Amino acid sequence: QEMSMGPEPGNLGGTAIKPVGWDRTGLEAFKYFLYNPDTGEVLTRTPLSWVKITVFYSVYYCCLAAFWIGCLQVFFLTLPEIQDGPKWTMYQSIIGTNPGMGVRPGNSDQRIDSQMFVLSQEGMNTDYAVRTEHFLESYNREATYPYKNFDISELGPCGEFPYGFVANDDQNYGESVAPCIFLKLNKIWGWVPEPLDDYDTDWIPEDLQDHYNYMRDDGNTQNVWMHCEGRNAADKEALGDIEYFPRSRGLPVEFFPFMGASVSGQNYHSPLVAIKIHPGREFLGQLIHVECRAYFRGVVHDTKNKMGLVQFEVLINE
Protein backbone atom coordinates (compact mmCIF):
# COMPACT_ATOMS: atom_id res chain seq x y z
CA GLN A 1 0.00 0.00 0.00
CA GLU A 2 1.38 3.26 -1.03
CA MET A 3 1.75 5.93 1.68
CA SER A 4 0.26 9.36 0.90
CA MET A 5 2.82 12.17 0.70
CA GLY A 6 2.09 15.68 2.03
CA PRO A 7 2.90 18.94 0.25
CA GLU A 8 6.49 19.85 -0.15
CA PRO A 9 7.78 22.38 2.48
CA GLY A 10 8.19 25.98 1.35
CA ASN A 11 11.10 28.43 2.10
CA LEU A 12 11.30 29.61 5.74
CA GLY A 13 12.17 33.24 6.65
CA GLY A 14 10.78 36.75 6.51
CA THR A 15 11.07 39.99 4.65
CA ALA A 16 13.38 42.62 6.29
CA ILE A 17 11.95 46.13 6.51
CA LYS A 18 14.66 48.67 5.81
CA PRO A 19 14.29 52.20 7.21
CA VAL A 20 13.75 55.06 4.86
CA GLY A 21 17.00 56.57 3.71
CA TRP A 22 19.20 53.62 4.68
CA ASP A 23 20.96 53.80 1.36
CA ARG A 24 21.86 57.49 1.60
CA THR A 25 25.58 58.16 1.47
CA GLY A 26 28.01 61.02 1.28
CA LEU A 27 26.74 64.60 1.10
CA GLU A 28 23.11 63.51 0.94
CA ALA A 29 23.42 61.61 4.24
CA PHE A 30 25.09 64.62 5.88
CA LYS A 31 22.32 66.97 4.69
CA TYR A 32 19.69 64.65 6.14
CA PHE A 33 21.71 64.53 9.40
CA LEU A 34 21.51 68.31 9.67
CA TYR A 35 17.84 68.49 8.73
CA ASN A 36 15.41 65.74 7.76
CA PRO A 37 12.52 67.30 5.77
CA ASP A 38 10.46 64.11 6.09
CA THR A 39 10.36 64.08 9.93
CA GLY A 40 11.44 67.63 10.75
CA GLU A 41 14.41 66.35 12.79
CA VAL A 42 17.42 68.58 13.38
CA LEU A 43 20.60 66.70 14.27
CA THR A 44 18.53 63.50 14.69
CA ARG A 45 16.10 65.13 17.18
CA THR A 46 12.78 66.82 16.70
CA PRO A 47 12.40 70.40 18.01
CA LEU A 48 10.20 69.15 20.88
CA SER A 49 12.87 66.61 21.86
CA TRP A 50 15.51 69.37 21.86
CA VAL A 51 13.31 71.54 24.10
CA LYS A 52 12.77 68.70 26.59
CA ILE A 53 16.44 67.73 26.87
CA THR A 54 17.54 71.38 27.12
CA VAL A 55 15.08 72.06 29.95
CA PHE A 56 16.12 68.87 31.76
CA TYR A 57 19.87 69.57 31.72
CA SER A 58 19.37 73.26 32.52
CA VAL A 59 17.46 72.34 35.67
CA TYR A 60 19.96 69.57 36.49
CA TYR A 61 23.07 71.74 36.25
CA CYS A 62 21.43 74.67 38.04
CA CYS A 63 20.64 72.38 40.97
CA LEU A 64 24.17 70.98 40.89
CA ALA A 65 25.70 74.48 40.87
CA ALA A 66 23.42 75.60 43.70
CA PHE A 67 24.48 72.57 45.76
CA TRP A 68 28.22 73.33 45.41
CA ILE A 69 27.74 77.06 45.99
CA GLY A 70 25.89 76.23 49.19
CA CYS A 71 28.72 73.93 50.30
CA LEU A 72 31.31 76.64 49.61
CA GLN A 73 29.29 79.21 51.56
CA VAL A 74 29.14 76.89 54.56
CA PHE A 75 32.91 76.35 54.28
CA PHE A 76 33.66 80.08 54.03
CA LEU A 77 31.59 80.71 57.16
CA THR A 78 34.16 78.70 59.12
CA LEU A 79 37.08 80.89 57.93
CA PRO A 80 38.12 84.03 59.82
CA GLU A 81 38.67 87.38 58.15
CA ILE A 82 42.13 87.93 56.66
CA GLN A 83 43.06 90.58 59.20
CA ASP A 84 42.12 88.21 62.03
CA GLY A 85 44.71 85.64 61.00
CA PRO A 86 44.43 81.85 61.10
CA LYS A 87 41.52 80.24 62.96
CA TRP A 88 43.83 77.94 64.93
CA THR A 89 47.00 79.49 66.35
CA MET A 90 49.56 78.90 69.08
CA TYR A 91 48.76 75.81 71.19
CA GLN A 92 45.64 75.03 69.14
CA SER A 93 47.58 74.79 65.88
CA ILE A 94 49.76 72.05 64.45
CA ILE A 95 52.77 74.41 64.43
CA GLY A 96 52.46 75.15 68.15
CA THR A 97 54.71 77.62 69.95
CA ASN A 98 58.11 76.20 69.12
CA PRO A 99 59.25 77.73 65.81
CA GLY A 100 61.76 76.26 63.44
CA MET A 101 64.62 78.26 62.02
CA GLY A 102 65.54 79.33 58.52
CA VAL A 103 68.81 80.21 56.79
CA ARG A 104 69.40 82.73 54.05
CA PRO A 105 70.36 83.17 51.29
CA GLY A 106 68.28 80.46 49.74
CA ASN A 107 69.81 78.05 47.30
CA SER A 108 69.58 78.12 43.53
CA ASP A 109 66.72 76.41 41.71
CA GLN A 110 68.97 73.45 40.95
CA ARG A 111 69.56 72.93 44.71
CA ILE A 112 66.22 74.23 45.96
CA ASP A 113 65.73 71.22 48.26
CA SER A 114 69.25 71.45 49.73
CA GLN A 115 70.73 73.57 52.50
CA MET A 116 74.30 73.12 51.29
CA PHE A 117 76.35 76.20 50.46
CA VAL A 118 78.77 75.18 47.72
CA LEU A 119 81.35 77.92 47.23
CA SER A 120 84.58 78.37 45.33
CA GLN A 121 87.70 79.82 46.87
CA GLU A 122 88.86 81.37 43.61
CA GLY A 123 85.44 81.81 42.02
CA MET A 124 83.10 84.75 42.25
CA ASN A 125 80.12 83.12 44.06
CA THR A 126 78.14 86.16 42.94
CA ASP A 127 74.92 84.15 42.72
CA TYR A 128 74.90 83.82 46.51
CA ALA A 129 75.68 87.52 46.92
CA VAL A 130 72.86 88.51 44.55
CA ARG A 131 70.32 86.28 46.31
CA THR A 132 71.36 87.77 49.64
CA GLU A 133 70.91 91.27 48.23
CA HIS A 134 67.40 90.38 47.06
CA PHE A 135 66.57 88.89 50.46
CA LEU A 136 67.63 92.09 52.25
CA GLU A 137 65.69 94.41 49.91
CA SER A 138 62.60 94.36 52.15
CA TYR A 139 64.73 95.73 54.99
CA ASN A 140 65.43 98.85 52.92
CA ARG A 141 61.73 99.73 53.14
CA GLU A 142 60.17 101.04 56.31
CA ALA A 143 58.38 98.48 58.43
CA THR A 144 54.64 99.04 58.70
CA TYR A 145 53.25 100.12 62.07
CA PRO A 146 53.17 98.54 64.64
CA TYR A 147 56.20 96.57 63.48
CA LYS A 148 59.73 97.71 64.32
CA ASN A 149 62.46 98.56 61.82
CA PHE A 150 65.45 96.23 61.73
CA ASP A 151 68.62 98.14 60.91
CA ILE A 152 70.82 95.96 58.69
CA SER A 153 73.80 98.21 59.48
CA GLU A 154 73.91 96.31 62.79
CA LEU A 155 75.04 93.30 60.77
CA GLY A 156 78.41 94.97 60.18
CA PRO A 157 80.26 93.49 57.18
CA CYS A 158 77.39 91.02 56.75
CA GLY A 159 75.12 93.92 55.88
CA GLU A 160 77.24 95.03 52.92
CA PHE A 161 77.57 93.57 49.45
CA PRO A 162 79.05 90.98 48.65
CA TYR A 163 78.42 89.63 52.17
CA GLY A 164 81.66 87.69 52.33
CA PHE A 165 80.89 85.44 49.36
CA VAL A 166 83.56 87.06 47.18
CA ALA A 167 87.22 87.16 48.16
CA ASN A 168 88.01 90.81 48.77
CA ASP A 169 90.62 92.39 51.00
CA ASP A 170 88.29 95.13 52.17
CA GLN A 171 85.32 92.90 52.87
CA ASN A 172 87.12 89.90 54.31
CA TYR A 173 89.95 91.55 56.18
CA GLY A 174 92.64 90.23 53.87
CA GLU A 175 91.27 86.69 54.03
CA SER A 176 89.67 84.55 51.39
CA VAL A 177 85.99 83.65 51.08
CA ALA A 178 84.27 84.01 54.47
CA PRO A 179 80.52 83.74 53.83
CA CYS A 180 77.80 85.40 55.89
CA ILE A 181 74.84 83.16 56.61
CA PHE A 182 71.68 84.73 58.00
CA LEU A 183 69.55 83.08 60.69
CA LYS A 184 65.89 83.81 61.40
CA LEU A 185 62.96 82.30 63.21
CA ASN A 186 60.02 81.01 61.23
CA LYS A 187 56.92 83.15 61.74
CA ILE A 188 54.18 82.03 64.13
CA TRP A 189 51.08 84.20 64.27
CA GLY A 190 50.71 85.88 67.67
CA TRP A 191 53.73 84.22 69.29
CA VAL A 192 55.94 86.21 71.66
CA PRO A 193 59.11 84.46 72.90
CA GLU A 194 59.91 84.55 76.59
CA PRO A 195 63.53 85.52 77.35
CA LEU A 196 65.73 83.22 79.37
CA ASP A 197 65.49 83.24 83.13
CA ASP A 198 68.53 85.04 84.56
CA TYR A 199 68.92 82.35 87.18
CA ASP A 200 68.29 79.29 85.02
CA THR A 201 70.90 79.26 82.28
CA ASP A 202 72.92 76.20 83.28
CA TRP A 203 71.38 74.19 80.44
CA ILE A 204 72.62 76.40 77.61
CA PRO A 205 76.09 75.92 76.02
CA GLU A 206 78.98 77.26 78.07
CA ASP A 207 80.08 79.68 75.35
CA LEU A 208 76.57 81.14 75.13
CA GLN A 209 76.24 81.22 78.89
CA ASP A 210 79.38 83.37 79.22
CA HIS A 211 78.04 85.68 76.52
CA TYR A 212 74.65 85.85 78.22
CA ASN A 213 76.23 86.80 81.55
CA TYR A 214 78.14 89.58 79.81
CA MET A 215 74.97 90.87 78.13
CA ARG A 216 73.06 90.64 81.42
CA ASP A 217 75.59 92.92 83.05
CA ASP A 218 74.99 95.29 80.14
CA GLY A 219 71.23 95.12 80.69
CA ASN A 220 70.47 93.47 77.34
CA THR A 221 68.75 90.13 77.94
CA GLN A 222 65.41 90.55 76.14
CA ASN A 223 66.47 88.43 73.19
CA VAL A 224 66.18 85.05 71.55
CA TRP A 225 69.80 83.88 71.57
CA MET A 226 71.61 82.12 68.73
CA HIS A 227 74.39 79.59 69.07
CA CYS A 228 76.13 77.78 66.20
CA GLU A 229 78.75 75.05 66.18
CA GLY A 230 79.98 72.13 64.12
CA ARG A 231 77.95 68.98 64.47
CA ASN A 232 81.01 66.75 64.78
CA ALA A 233 84.52 67.18 66.17
CA ALA A 234 86.01 67.60 62.68
CA ASP A 235 83.37 70.21 61.84
CA LYS A 236 84.11 72.18 65.01
CA GLU A 237 87.80 72.21 64.18
CA ALA A 238 87.15 73.39 60.63
CA LEU A 239 84.75 76.14 61.70
CA GLY A 240 87.10 77.72 64.19
CA ASP A 241 85.79 80.96 65.69
CA ILE A 242 82.41 82.11 64.40
CA GLU A 243 81.62 85.81 64.24
CA TYR A 244 78.09 86.89 65.13
CA PHE A 245 76.35 90.03 63.90
CA PRO A 246 74.88 91.88 65.69
CA ARG A 247 77.35 91.33 68.48
CA SER A 248 74.46 90.64 70.85
CA ARG A 249 73.83 87.31 69.05
CA GLY A 250 70.14 87.87 69.76
CA LEU A 251 66.79 88.52 68.13
CA PRO A 252 65.11 91.28 70.19
CA VAL A 253 61.68 90.27 71.50
CA GLU A 254 60.36 93.73 70.57
CA PHE A 255 60.03 92.45 66.98
CA PHE A 256 57.34 90.00 68.11
CA PRO A 257 54.52 89.10 67.74
CA PHE A 258 54.02 88.65 64.02
CA MET A 259 50.41 89.49 63.13
CA GLY A 260 50.41 89.12 59.36
CA ALA A 261 52.05 91.10 56.58
CA SER A 262 52.13 89.66 53.07
CA VAL A 263 48.35 89.31 52.62
CA SER A 264 47.47 92.62 54.24
CA GLY A 265 50.19 94.52 52.37
CA GLN A 266 52.20 95.31 55.48
CA ASN A 267 55.99 95.12 55.63
CA TYR A 268 57.40 93.09 58.50
CA HIS A 269 61.11 93.03 59.37
CA SER A 270 61.96 89.61 60.70
CA PRO A 271 64.98 90.08 63.03
CA LEU A 272 68.22 88.50 61.87
CA VAL A 273 71.48 87.19 63.25
CA ALA A 274 74.30 86.71 60.74
CA ILE A 275 77.22 84.37 61.31
CA LYS A 276 80.49 84.80 59.45
CA ILE A 277 82.48 81.63 58.89
CA HIS A 278 86.29 81.68 58.51
CA PRO A 279 87.44 78.16 57.55
CA GLY A 280 91.21 77.90 57.10
CA ARG A 281 92.84 76.96 53.81
CA GLU A 282 93.71 73.54 55.19
CA PHE A 283 89.98 72.78 55.33
CA LEU A 284 89.22 73.64 51.71
CA GLY A 285 87.24 70.87 50.08
CA GLN A 286 85.95 69.61 53.43
CA LEU A 287 82.20 69.45 53.90
CA ILE A 288 81.45 71.28 57.15
CA HIS A 289 78.23 70.38 58.97
CA VAL A 290 76.82 73.26 61.00
CA GLU A 291 73.98 73.34 63.50
CA CYS A 292 72.48 76.55 64.87
CA ARG A 293 70.04 76.62 67.78
CA ALA A 294 67.74 79.25 69.21
CA TYR A 295 67.51 79.68 72.97
CA PHE A 296 64.57 81.11 74.86
CA ARG A 297 62.44 79.99 77.77
CA GLY A 298 60.56 76.79 76.97
CA VAL A 299 62.37 76.01 73.72
CA VAL A 300 62.39 72.41 72.51
CA HIS A 301 65.23 71.25 70.26
CA ASP A 302 64.25 68.37 68.01
CA THR A 303 66.70 67.42 65.26
CA LYS A 304 64.21 65.07 63.58
CA ASN A 305 61.48 67.69 63.16
CA LYS A 306 63.92 70.66 63.01
CA MET A 307 62.24 72.37 65.94
CA GLY A 308 64.21 75.24 67.48
CA LEU A 309 67.21 74.64 65.26
CA VAL A 310 68.51 74.49 61.72
CA GLN A 311 71.22 72.37 60.11
CA PHE A 312 73.16 73.17 56.96
CA GLU A 313 76.43 72.39 55.24
CA VAL A 314 79.22 74.57 53.87
CA LEU A 315 81.66 73.38 51.22
CA ILE A 316 84.40 75.71 49.98
CA ASN A 317 86.40 74.30 47.07
CA GLU A 318 89.71 75.61 45.81
Side-chain angles (χ1 to χ4, degrees):
Q1 184 179 359
E2 293 185 0
M3 299 181 61
S4 62
M5 303 295 292
E8 294 185 1
N11 294 331
L12 299 178
T15 302
I17 301 176
K18 298 179 180 179
V20 177
W22 68 271
D23 56 345
R24 298 190 188 106
T25 58
L27 182 59
E28 182 185 11
F30 181 70
K31 288 181 178 179
Y32 269 83
F33 170 75
L34 295 178
Y35 175 71
N36 190 332
D38 300 331
T39 61
E41 293 178 345
V42 178
L43 298 178
T44 71
R45 286 184 179 274
T46 63
L48 180 61
S49 176
W50 278 117
V51 171
K52 290 180 179 179
I53 197 171
T54 301
V55 171
F56 170 80
Y57 279 105
S58 296
V59 173
Y60 172 76
Y61 283 115
C62 285
C63 293
L64 188 63
F67 170 77
W68 285 111
I69 291 174
C71 290
L72 285 175
Q73 291 299 321
V74 173
F75 171 74
F76 287 140
L77 289 175
T78 66
L79 299 179
E81 296 296 330
I82 293 178
Q83 62 271 17
D84 296 333
K87 183 179 180 64
W88 309 110
T89 60
M90 305 290 285
Y91 297 100
Q92 296 177 326
S93 69
I94 297 177
I95 299 176
T97 59
N98 199 79
M101 291 178 59
V103 294
R104 297 294 186 274
N107 242 318
S108 61
D109 293 340
Q110 291 78 9
R111 299 194 182 99
I112 194 65
D113 58 344
S114 171
Q115 288 190 324
M116 180 186 297
F117 294 85
V118 181
L119 307 173
S120 174
Q121 180 69 24
E122 305 298 336
M124 293 297 291
N125 305 316
T126 52
D127 56 332
Y128 284 98
V130 170
R131 286 197 296 274
T132 302
E133 186 177 39
H134 289 167
F135 165 66
L136 295 176
E137 282 180 354
S138 63
Y139 291 86
N140 296 325
R141 303 191 303 271
E142 290 288 323
T144 309
Y145 180 83
Y147 297 134
K148 304 290 185 180
N149 286 310
F150 182 84
D151 188 0
I152 60 175
S153 64
E154 296 183 7
L155 300 177
C158 288
E160 302 173 2
F161 191 88
Y163 316 103
F165 288 104
V166 179
N168 183 289
D169 291 342
D170 294 334
Q171 292 290 338
N172 292 308
Y173 310 103
E175 299 179 6
S176 54
V177 172
C180 291
I181 298 173
F182 300 82
L183 308 174
K184 60 185 289 292
L185 287 177
N186 295 340
K187 302 181 185 75
I188 295 181
W189 188 288
W191 177 72
V192 179
E194 296 186 47
L196 294 174
D197 188 340
D198 288 348
Y199 304 99
D200 184 23
T201 58
D202 295 338
W203 57 279
I204 67 177
E206 183 178 354
D207 171 61
L208 180 58
Q209 188 172 2
D210 293 339
H211 177 75
Y212 178 83
N213 292 334
Y214 172 79
M215 297 301 296
R216 181 178 57 190
D217 295 339
D218 198 36
N220 185 9
T221 60
Q222 302 298 300
N223 298 304
V224 174
W225 306 95
M226 296 291 170
H227 178 74
C228 299
E229 63 181 1
R231 292 167 61 185
N232 306 302
D235 301 319
K236 295 177 181 179
E237 181 183 4
L239 275 177
D241 294 331
I242 299 176
E243 287 189 274
Y244 292 86
F245 301 96
R247 296 296 183 181
S248 64
R249 295 172 57 173
L251 307 176
V253 296
E254 66 179 357
F255 286 89
F256 302 91
F258 171 76
M259 300 299 291
S262 58
V263 175
S264 59
Q266 294 179 315
N267 187 30
Y268 172 70
H269 287 184
S270 183
L272 303 172
V273 168
I275 60 171
K276 194 173 184 63
I277 299 175
H278 299 271
R281 286 190 170 272
E282 64 272 22
F283 298 107
L284 294 180
Q286 175 179 332
L287 182 63
I288 305 174
H289 302 80
V290 185
E291 180 177 279
C292 295
R293 297 191 174 200
Y295 288 88
F296 54 88
R297 190 182 305 180
V299 66
V300 176
H301 295 128
D302 187 339
T303 56
K304 179 179 180 181
N305 297 312
K306 301 297 186 295
M307 296 171 58
L309 57 85
V310 66
Q311 296 174 336
F312 58 92
E313 294 77 36
V314 178
L315 176 63
I316 302 179
N317 296 311
E318 296 187 18

